């Protein structure tokens, strides 16, 4: 890896990501490069594809829900080019590992509304996410009935303007009142212990 190119990349990423020290940004870039399928490509051209990224979410961050892993991928992939570049990697991890409550709130909302581009979490999306995250112990019909009830409970609790969908303002208000609602529709952030383990692995000096 070209030390000069690495140094330049560390400088440029450190300007936009303030939650990591430069040495930590460097460690994350090196880790990223090790995870990319073709590590011989130039640093700033390296990309993680969706399946590799999902393996990382599963293996390093303990995520198991396929649909939500896809949504987390899309939330990391800011330029929507269907792969994660090194900038997106470091920025996404800054929310995972060191994000403020506000940043995590925005990230979770983004993961949840990703299907619709209107910036709202719709009744159908809530149903879809809950259906996916609840284990199939009941018949499909019974499960669907139970999930419909949960959707109504969620809307009653979070849809402050009663328009049948959840806006960011609704979500923010609900989560600020009750922090447990942050990941109400499924896990999209790693647990604190997993983050500490990841940091220990990534930043070992």
């Amino acid at each position: 890896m070209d030390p000069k190119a690495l140094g330049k990349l560390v400088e440029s990423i450190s300007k936009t990501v303030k939650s990591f020290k430069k040495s930590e940004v460097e460690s994350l870039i090196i880790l990223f490069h090790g995870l990319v399928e073709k590590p011989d490509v130039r640093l700033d051209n390296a990309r993680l594809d969706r399946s590799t990224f999902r393996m990382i979410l599963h293996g390093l961050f303990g995520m198991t829900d396929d649909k939500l892993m896809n949504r987390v991928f899309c939330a990391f992939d800011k330029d929507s080019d269907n792969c994660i570049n090194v900038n997106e990697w470091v920025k996404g991890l800054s929310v995972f590992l060191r994000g403020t409550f506000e940043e995590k709130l925005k990230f979770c909302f983004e993961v949840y509304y990703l299907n619709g581009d209107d910036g709202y979490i719709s009744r159908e999306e809530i149903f879809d996410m809950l259906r996916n995250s609840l284990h199939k112990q009941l018949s499909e019909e019974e499960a669907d009935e139970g999930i419909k009830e949960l959707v109504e409970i969620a809307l009653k609790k979070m849809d402050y303007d009663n328009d049948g969908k959840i806006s960011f303002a609704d979500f923010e208000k609900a989560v600020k009142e009750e922090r447990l609602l942050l990941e109400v529709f499924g896990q999209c952030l790693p647990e604190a212990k997993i983050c500490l383990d990841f940091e220990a692995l990534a930043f070992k000096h």
Side-chain angles (χ1 to χ4, degrees):
M1 194 184 294
D2 176 6
K4 208 169 164 188
L6 179 61
K8 275 174 78 171
L9 201 53
V10 169
E11 283 302 320
S12 81
I13 293 176
S14 297
K15 285 190 181 111
T16 56
V17 181
K18 301 293 185 203
S19 50
F20 296 127
K21 296 188 294 228
K22 283 185 182 174
S23 61
E24 292 171 332
V25 170
E26 185 175 313
S27 297
L28 290 174
I29 294 170
I30 292 167
L31 177 64
F32 175 83
H33 208 238
L35 292 163
V36 170
E37 296 289 299
K38 299 188 274 294
D40 53 336
V41 291
R42 264 184 42 203
L43 256 183
D44 48 358
N45 287 336
R47 300 280 184 272
L48 280 177
D49 63 26
R50 188 183 292 256
S51 65
T52 310
F53 186 73
R54 282 171 48 134
M55 278 167 23
I56 294 163
L57 287 180
H58 181 65
L60 292 177
F61 292 108
M63 294 192 180
T64 52
D65 185 318
D66 280 344
K67 263 198 177 145
L68 279 172
M69 285 196 283
N70 275 332
R71 285 169 174 248
V72 169
F73 172 85
C74 296
F76 266 69
D77 178 20
K78 294 291 180 210
D79 60 6
S80 305
D81 65 350
N82 220 16
C83 51
I84 309 284
N85 64 40
V86 69
N87 275 297
E88 291 167 338
W89 164 254
V90 177
K91 277 187 182 147
L93 287 180
S94 77
V95 177
F96 264 20
L97 303 173
R98 309 266 174 90
T100 62
F101 177 65
E102 258 64 31
E103 286 170 332
K104 289 184 174 180
L105 187 84
K106 280 195 180 104
F107 181 81
C108 289
F109 184 77
E110 208 174 303
V111 169
Y112 293 147
Y113 87 71
L114 266 175
N115 266 1
D117 296 324
D118 56 358
Y120 289 94
I121 307 171
S122 67
R123 186 180 247 108
E124 293 70 35
E125 282 181 292
I126 298 170
F127 182 84
D128 207 32
M129 287 184 285
L130 290 177
R131 184 183 201 180
N132 206 44
S133 59
L134 294 171
H135 299 297
K136 294 269 190 282
Q137 282 142 346
L138 307 164
S139 74
E140 202 157 306
E141 217 167 279
E142 286 174 313
D144 284 0
E145 277 312 305
I147 294 161
K148 276 182 191 148
E149 282 172 33
L150 285 175
V151 171
E152 293 315 315
I153 292 166
L155 282 168
K156 196 174 275 182
K157 195 155 188 61
M158 301 178 88
D159 177 19
Y160 288 95
D161 53 7
N162 296 316
D163 61 355
K165 53 193 176 183
I166 298 170
S167 65
F168 180 70
D170 289 335
F171 187 72
E172 184 176 36
K173 191 172 176 189
V175 174
K176 280 185 171 167
E177 282 179 15
E178 200 171 316
R179 292 205 168 197
L180 287 174
L181 293 173
L182 183 63
E183 294 183 86
V184 64
F185 305 125
Q187 185 197 359
C188 41
L189 292 164
E191 290 164 20
K193 183 188 179 312
I194 289 176
C195 287
L196 290 173
D197 291 347
F198 178 85
E199 287 202 18
L201 173 86
F203 305 143
K204 55 178 185 283
H205 296 298

